[in-house]
Amino acid sequence: MNNLKLFFNNKFNVFFTISCITVFCYLLFRATYSSLVCDELTTFFRFIQPRFFLGDGSDANNHLLNTLLSYVSDSFLGFSSLSIRLFSLLSVVIYFIYTYRFSKEIKSNIQRILFAFVMLFSLNFLQFFGLSRGYGYSFAFLLGALYHFYVFAKDNSKLSVKNLFYFSIFIVLCLLANLATLLTTLTLSFFILVLIIEKRKLFTLLNWKQKSALITTGIFYLLVLLSMINYSFILKEKGALYYGNLQSFWYNVVLTQLGLLIQNMSSLLQGLLVIFFLNLTLLGLLSHKNFKFKEFYKSNILFFVLILNLLGIELLALLFKVNYPSDRVAIHLYMILVLALFFIDVSKNNLLRILKLITIAMICFIPIHNILTANYKNNTVWPLDYFPKSYYTKIVESKTHSDYYPTVSGNVFRGLNYGKHVYENNGKGNLIVPWEEQDSTLLDENNHPGKYSDFIISKKEDILSINHLYEKIDSNSMNEVCLWERRSKPNYKEIKNAIFNSPNHTKNEFIDCGNLIIDSLSNQYLLIDIEFELDALELPFNGSLIFNSDDETTGENLIYESYPIRFLKSFKTDKKFKQRVVLKKLHPYHKMKISTYIWNLKKEKVSISDGKVTFYKFIKQ
């Protein structure tokens, strides 16, 4: 109790505690109320829901530690935004602890307060703790690793096995959370190796337990590091490291961070950014009068960690054609940048001390801007993924010509968000008919993928060619994504229907639902209704509903659409499956075969009963 009183007798401690509580509450609100984004939903449906934790080594979306912990929370608490984000949110406590421990290393009271302010209120950086991704975890674990690395480097009197142990544990967890920190890990490993060589004479002062612990820790660390390096090569060979490009270091590594942190890349800010980096470079290079390299780099070791990271990025791009990391992939460098700035020692030079305070004042613009623009709904990384739940509600509550829910189309990423609402409501609604952002058919009224949909969720610019067919019925203040309803519902006529069932608990890979052979269509679109009851021994059922179209003359595949069945509902209580789909981009004047079937990917035991599929063609109005 006395220790607690002493703690809160310190004004900085009071400020820090209140700040942490405030930020945690803010992140809790975000984790609860901000919409799940495409990367989170991809992780959930591809890896968490089917318990496919390691994936197949071909998708960098799978942040291993996050996938495993999100599965644990989802299993105990059920599916919700907060449940799959819970452990990421809790990891911010580690970030708070090590921000505090770093702040206590700063002698100047004003700089200590400013350091805590920048670290705790860069809210667009901290937003990742409110997402079910590996980035938040990696910030916390990397900060812990950097602290023990810094203390180990600073102390010349001993070879601290404890700091090396904690460094190894934190950096391994960081890598498991976010493979994008691999270059930073290699940079830190290089410095650790140099420091150990420098302190090699101190090894003889260790007792046998300490020596054993040091060797064991080193072997464990090396094995994990080599495994993650190998994993990164596998991802690269499979084309999974596609994010970013090789066109511009400045744009990818620097400007996209600026866009993420303050949503602005103006020429004025770019100019200020150049001045900031020049100041930082001057501080780093001129802060030590003695230019003996050994003393020089150790006194500013966090600055050199940043410099080697940036040089490493450039070398990887030049020598191995590894893309420059962009926005979230390189956002951990912001934290290293803050540490590098605050831990440059200029205490013996008054001019440099003034320059450092000016540079710190410049970086304080980021948390000030973040506080003034804070919200608990949207994310700066995926701003166009968001739309309010009212869109979904209006769609499923609207009337149609049948007992099927209305059809919806929109960008593929918003489709995941819409699908989340369908899943949460146990299959109430259709999966979205997706299109790509740069789809050329968006410019052509006759070929627009959303032309016959009852509703469209999109920006106005994506439906200019068919805007006269739709009216805006809802919008939101966070972005330009609106809800559009067709002014008049499209007319359609039944062509054929078919009844289908499967053998009891069959393990067949393909279950036929019905086929249609048609000589020609008046346009490129077809409407399909399908319903059945599904009884699977193992849930979630890892199967997909497939719509396939082949040219009967040439055998050419015209279209292949896959709708994962488990994206709609869990089937734990209600076994009924019901979907209405607009099949698009058909070849209207070709004789073609339309096939519908269920692809039982893992050949699980499943029964399909009371199945019916109905094909319709749209009639011009």
Side-chain angles (χ1 to χ4, degrees):
M1 195 67 179
N2 288 333
N3 289 337
L4 198 60
K5 284 183 180 180
L6 286 172
F7 180 85
F8 285 112
N9 281 337
N10 184 301
K11 291 181 180 179
F12 172 78
N13 292 344
V14 173
F15 161 76
F16 192 89
T17 303
I18 293 172
S19 297
C20 288
I21 293 170
T22 302
V23 171
F24 185 85
C25 291
Y26 170 75
L27 292 173
L28 177 61
F29 265 84
R30 287 191 60 82
T32 305
Y33 297 110
S34 68
S35 177
L36 288 168
V37 297
C38 59
D39 280 11
E40 292 180 283
L41 290 164
T42 300
T43 295
F44 177 78
F45 285 119
R46 287 200 64 180
F47 305 111
I48 298 171
Q49 189 205 47
R51 301 184 293 279
F52 193 41
F53 304 127
L54 295 178
D56 58 3
S58 63
D59 195 340
N61 176 277
N62 187 18
H63 295 179
L64 301 172
L65 186 64
N66 172 70
T67 300
L68 179 61
L69 294 178
S70 295
Y71 168 74
V72 172
S73 56
D74 175 68
S75 299
F76 283 98
L77 302 175
F79 176 75
S80 71
S81 297
L82 180 59
S83 70
I84 65 170
R85 292 167 167 173
L86 182 60
F87 282 104
S88 179
L89 174 66
L90 294 177
S91 70
V92 80
V93 175
I94 298 172
Y95 181 87
F96 291 157
I97 290 169
Y98 280 96
T99 297
Y100 178 78
R101 296 186 76 173
F102 260 121
S103 69
K104 301 305 284 186
E105 298 287 332
I106 300 174
K107 295 176 182 178
S108 166
N109 289 332
I110 184 66
Q111 289 190 31
R112 186 185 303 130
I113 292 171
L114 290 174
F115 172 75
F117 175 70
V118 173
M119 291 290 284
L120 296 179
F121 288 98
S122 294
L123 299 178
N124 287 347
F125 175 75
L126 295 182
Q127 68 178 321
F128 289 97
F129 286 104
L131 298 174
S132 179
R133 306 295 294 131
Y135 303 108
Y137 296 98
S138 69
F139 301 160
F141 296 135
L142 180 57
L143 188 61
L146 284 166
Y147 175 79
H148 290 287
F149 164 79
Y150 175 76
V151 173
F152 179 80
K154 190 176 69 169
D155 190 352
N156 294 317
S157 63
K158 61 181 180 180
L159 188 66
S160 175
V161 177
K162 183 178 76 171
N163 280 310
L164 284 176
F165 174 78
Y166 283 123
F167 167 81
S168 300
I169 295 299
F170 277 127
I171 209 70
V172 164
L173 290 171
C174 176
L175 275 175
L176 291 174
N178 179 13
L179 192 61
T181 59
L182 180 58
L183 179 59
T184 300
T185 300
L186 292 172
T187 301
L188 291 171
S189 300
F190 166 75
F191 279 114
I192 284 286
L193 182 61
V194 171
L195 291 166
I196 289 175
I197 292 172
E198 285 183 4
K199 297 182 179 186
R200 61 189 180 278
K201 291 180 180 179
L202 299 174
F203 184 78
T204 57
L205 302 177
L206 302 177
N207 60 45
W208 70 270
K209 287 185 178 179
Q210 291 173 319
K211 290 178 181 178
S212 300
L214 182 62
I215 293 169
T216 303
T217 300
I219 293 172
F220 165 74
Y221 177 74
L222 187 61
L223 288 174
V224 174
L225 184 59
L226 290 174
S227 298
M228 299 310 286
I229 291 171
N230 181 61
Y231 181 52
S232 70
F233 277 113
I234 292 172
L235 289 173
K236 189 175 188 307
E237 287 174 7
K238 294 190 176 183
L241 302 181
Y242 55 83
Y243 204 76
N245 57 61
L246 290 167
Q247 294 176 5
S248 169
F249 178 95
W250 176 252
Y251 177 79
N252 283 285
V253 182
V254 181
L255 291 190
T256 60
Q257 313 306 312
L258 191 66
L260 190 154
L261 291 168
I262 57 174
Q263 302 93 58
N264 194 320
M265 298 184 193
S266 68
S267 298
L268 174 62
L269 283 175
Q270 289 189 49
L272 290 173
L273 199 59
V274 171
I275 295 171
F276 174 86
F277 281 117
L278 285 174
N279 288 355
L280 182 64
T281 304
L282 286 172
L283 289 168
L285 297 179
L286 302 179
S287 59
H288 206 280
K289 292 182 180 179
N290 185 350
F291 276 88
K292 290 181 180 178
F293 185 72
K294 181 178 176 181
E295 297 178 18
F296 183 49
Y297 92 84
K298 286 182 72 174
S299 65
N300 293 319
I301 197 162
L302 294 174
F303 171 77
F304 283 100
V305 168
L306 175 66
I307 296 301
L308 256 67
N309 264 279
L310 299 178
L311 288 174
I313 289 170
E314 185 62 47
L315 287 173
L316 286 173
L318 289 173
L319 301 178
F320 301 102
K321 305 302 178 185
V322 175
N323 286 344
Y324 292 123
S326 186
D327 56 68
R328 61 190 182 272
V329 180
I331 191 60
H332 61 280
L333 295 177
Y334 171 71
M335 183 174 71
I336 300 174
L337 173 70
V338 173
L339 290 167
L341 172 59
F342 278 91
F343 282 86
I344 291 175
D345 183 10
V346 293
S347 58
K348 296 178 182 179
N349 189 313
N350 289 332
L351 285 176
L352 289 181
R353 191 158 58 238
I354 293 170
L355 182 62
K356 182 178 179 181
L357 286 173
I358 292 171
T359 312
I360 288 172
M362 293 177 74
I363 205 169
C364 283
F365 174 75
I366 291 174
I368 291 170
H369 177 276
N370 289 180
I371 291 169
L372 294 175
T373 58
N375 74 86
Y376 62 89
K377 290 184 178 180
N378 207 3
N379 299 285
T380 63
V381 189
W382 302 271
L384 293 177
D385 280 7
Y386 171 78
F387 61 83
K389 190 177 180 180
S390 61
Y391 290 16
Y392 167 78
T393 304
K394 287 180 180 179
I395 291 170
V396 296
E397 290 181 353
S398 68
K399 295 180 180 179
T400 63
H401 298 320
S402 70
D403 58 349
Y404 282 84
Y405 289 106
T407 55
V408 193
S409 64
N411 178 276
V412 62
F413 298 123
R414 279 166 229 135
L416 285 167
N417 196 358
Y418 186 82
K420 184 262 295 188
H421 292 299
V422 176
Y423 182 81
E424 284 181 323
N425 289 275
N426 200 30
K428 189 177 180 181
N430 295 309
L431 289 177
I432 210 165
V433 178
W435 69 60
E436 297 293 337
E437 195 72 41
Q438 304 300 323
D439 195 329
S440 61
T441 59
L442 298 181
L443 305 174
D444 182 356
E445 176 183 348
N446 294 323
N447 296 319
H448 195 291
K451 182 178 180 180
Y452 286 100
S453 295
D454 298 313
F455 292 88
I456 292 177
I457 299 173
S458 81
K459 299 177 292 182
K460 184 177 180 179
E461 64 193 63
D462 288 341
I463 62 165
L464 289 177
S465 63
I466 55 170
N467 189 49
H468 61 285
L469 299 174
Y470 290 83
E471 64 176 330
K472 182 170 67 176
I473 63 169
D474 204 351
S475 61
N476 72 90
S477 60
M478 304 303 296
N479 58 34
E480 300 172 359
V481 176
C482 302
L483 177 61
W484 308 82
E485 183 177 15
R486 211 172 195 279
R487 297 178 189 275
S488 60
K489 301 296 182 186
N491 294 322
Y492 48 85
K493 179 181 178 181
E494 182 178 331
I495 304 173
K496 178 185 177 182
N497 67 66
I499 306 298
F500 63 92
N501 295 283
S502 75
N504 190 39
H505 291 138
T506 180
K507 296 179 73 174
N508 292 345
E509 184 176 0
F510 302 104
I511 301 170
D512 183 45
C513 300
N515 303 313
L516 171 69
I517 297 178
I518 191 166
D519 291 329
S520 66
L521 286 170
S522 58
N523 54 45
Q524 293 187 337
Y525 304 83
L526 202 67
L527 184 68
I528 303 176
D529 288 343
I530 187 164
E531 58 181 291
F532 53 83
E533 289 200 9
L534 182 148
D535 182 19
L537 294 185
E538 185 177 342
L539 295 175
F541 172 61
N542 195 17
S544 293
L545 182 61
I546 306 297
F547 299 95
N548 186 78
S549 173
D550 294 324
D551 189 311
E552 278 288 275
T553 305
T554 65
E556 176 192 359
N557 182 253
L558 305 176
I559 191 168
Y560 181 90
E561 297 282 357
S562 175
Y563 291 83
I565 292 171
R566 57 186 167 79
F567 282 26
L568 279 166
K569 58 197 296 186
S570 66
F571 293 96
K572 291 179 181 178
T573 53
D574 181 15
K575 306 294 184 183
K576 191 76 173 178
F577 177 93
K578 197 169 188 176
Q579 278 289 287
R580 165 167 281 189
V581 176
V582 176
L583 210 58
K584 62 187 188 302
K585 294 185 180 178
L586 298 170
H587 291 206
Y589 305 113
H590 288 233
K591 184 177 182 181
M592 53 191 159
K593 179 180 181 181
I594 313 292
S595 303
T596 62
Y597 59 91
I598 296 168
W599 183 13
N600 184 3
L601 278 78
K602 293 186 176 181
K603 299 182 181 179
E604 302 168 27
K605 289 185 178 180
V606 63
S607 297
I608 303 294
S609 59
D610 298 327
K612 181 180 179 181
V613 60
T614 308
F615 300 91
Y616 304 89
K617 65 179 179 179
F618 287 102
I619 302 171
K620 289 186 176 180
Q621 294 169 282

